[in-house]
Amino acid sequence: MERGPYPGSKNMSGGAVFSLPTREILPEFWQDAPVERALIDQQYWLLTETSAVKLGFASTDLGGPPYNKFSVMRATFDRWYAAKAVGAGADLWTSCKAEGLFMDGNRVQGVYASGRENGLISADLVILAQGVNPILAEKAGLMKKPKAQNCSLYVKEMIYLPAEIINERFLVSPGQGAVIGLIGDNNAGLIGTGSIYTFNEHVTINTGASVAMLTEKKVNPGMLLARLKQHPLVEPLLRGGTTVEYLAHMIPEGGYNAVPELVFNGLMITGDAAGLVNGTHGLSLAMYSGRFAAEAALEALAKGDYSKKGLRPYVEKLQNSFVLKDLQDNRKVPGWYNANPTLFKDYIRLLNQAALQASIVYPVSRREKRRLILKEILAARPVRKLVIDAFNAIRVVR
């Protein structure tokens, strides 16, 4: 069931789909899927207001089968992906909004819908993939509303640029693309990240921050994006482009400790609604959770058991995969970020200042120059503080 006029009409993501999890479901999907560019260049820019330390890796080995990841537009990719499900026998109802879960005691036995299908739709099993705000489960008393500090709001613009200009500015060949992760001044020091993705004839730029922090600081996320577009190192990449779409989307970022209960009698919860998101794997966690939910549904169908116990294999599949293992290993990261809101900003500024001094030629020996740079670093961050921060980072990030 899709409340929009077509699958993907209500979806937003940074803009990439990974090859491995997708080809496990649909081998060689890139041959007919509406993918854009094969992303061969991954960069990270650690930004201050006027500079950036740039890290990255590029390889043409990533530009051929089986590829690594592609930039995709959800409005076209999701329609194609849904059509594969329809081709395999699924019924797709668009412009059909689920208004509430039909409960029989403590068991979910369908949904109330409006739009194309009005009224009660009975079902032995419901798989809820409603996004970061699982309103249906909240209404039914199965879940609590996500906490503001566990959610981030991102805004994104899609900007038209001719393909040859994109190739020149991002130093890629036709059909190949780059991704730039933005950290630091992309959102004026608030906790959050941003990114730039390349498509065939479009570039997207997004940035976001914690909902709790946006509320506390009374910051309009649209203003953060407008500010980022004017950054002296970002603006030349977008110059002359025409904005064709503006989007906003909230995502869960509470990590493992914010993952809710995933199975109930007659119900499984997947994707963003289950908090299964992290910045490394993108859509992959949601895709894997959907796959595991489908496998568990088939097992339940074969046994005729849609109870919470009967659906337990879904959770076990997640636990035995990298999905929950990765989230569990890094379960302390969100709390660490929230407890140290200026940590990234402080170190990014320090790193950029050190890089600036290293780039300037002084009439002193190289040994003396290194001593001066080290002295400046230690004046801003004493040795004891550096050691404590490094220890905490090693302890938290896995």
Side-chain angles (χ1 to χ4, degrees), residues 19-304:
S19 176
L20 178 57
T22 311
R23 69 176 186 263
E24 285 185 357
I25 301 170
L26 296 168
E28 298 185 338
F29 68 94
W30 57 83
Q31 292 187 359
D32 68 326
V35 296
E36 296 274 321
R37 291 177 181 260
L39 299 173
I40 67 161
D41 185 357
Q42 175 68 64
Q43 302 178 38
Y44 296 94
W45 289 11
L46 310 181
L47 293 170
T48 68
E49 295 90 336
T50 58
S51 63
V53 172
K54 299 181 180 181
L55 310 171
F57 175 76
S59 174
T60 56
D61 293 338
L62 301 176
Y67 300 98
N68 179 44
K69 58 182 176 180
F70 296 93
S71 56
V72 296
M73 295 185 180
R74 297 290 299 273
T76 54
F77 184 84
D78 288 15
R79 264 190 283 191
W80 170 85
Y81 199 40
K84 292 294 183 181
V86 172
D91 291 327
L92 172 64
W93 298 338
T94 56
S95 299
C96 182
K97 182 180 179 182
E99 302 283 0
L101 295 175
F102 170 52
M103 304 289 297
D104 183 5
N106 67 347
R107 181 183 180 84
V108 178
Q109 289 199 320
V111 297
Y112 296 102
S114 63
R116 173 178 166 177
E117 299 289 332
N118 289 299
L120 171 63
I121 301 173
S122 297
D124 293 316
L125 173 63
V126 173
I127 300 176
L128 181 64
Q130 201 181 6
V132 66
N133 276 325
I135 298 172
L136 301 189
E138 291 174 28
K139 285 182 178 179
L142 303 178
M143 291 178 62
K144 294 182 179 179
K145 188 178 183 65
K147 295 180 180 179
Q149 63 263 33
N150 291 334
C151 299
S152 290
L153 179 63
Y154 280 78
V155 288
K156 167 182 166 181
E157 279 191 36
M158 181 170 287
I159 300 168
Y160 169 80
L161 282 171
E164 57 270 19
I165 291 181
I166 294 175
N167 297 341
E168 289 177 9
R169 292 182 182 177
F170 291 87
L171 303 178
V172 292
S173 299
Q176 298 178 347
V179 182
I180 303 174
L182 304 172
I183 309 171
D185 192 63
N186 61 289
N187 53 10
L190 301 183
I191 296 175
T193 60
S195 63
I196 298 173
Y197 279 81
T198 54
F199 297 78
N200 289 338
E201 292 187 320
H202 296 86
V203 172
T204 64
I205 180 169
N206 71 72
T207 194
S210 159
V211 172
M213 188 164 288
L214 288 171
T215 304
E216 177 188 343
K217 303 293 184 180
K218 295 181 172 58
V219 174
N220 183 332
M223 297 303 294
L224 291 179
L225 183 58
R227 178 180 178 275
L228 175 60
K229 288 172 60 183
Q230 295 303 312
H231 191 283
L233 299 180
V234 172
E235 189 275 333
L237 297 177
L238 311 177
R239 187 175 298 160
T242 303
T243 299
V244 296
E245 192 171 21
Y246 191 92
L247 309 94
H249 184 62
M250 193 162 66
I251 65 171
E253 290 194 317
Y256 182 82
N257 293 331
V259 173
E261 197 167 355
L262 301 177
V263 295
F264 302 87
N265 294 322
L267 178 72
M268 290 186 283
I269 300 177
T270 65
D272 281 13
L276 301 178
V277 173
N278 71 25
T280 301
H281 297 286
L283 298 176
S284 299
L285 270 67
M287 295 180 72
Y288 269 104
S289 71
R291 173 185 173 185
F292 294 150
E295 292 173 353
L298 290 174
E299 294 176 18
L301 176 65
K303 297 177 182 178

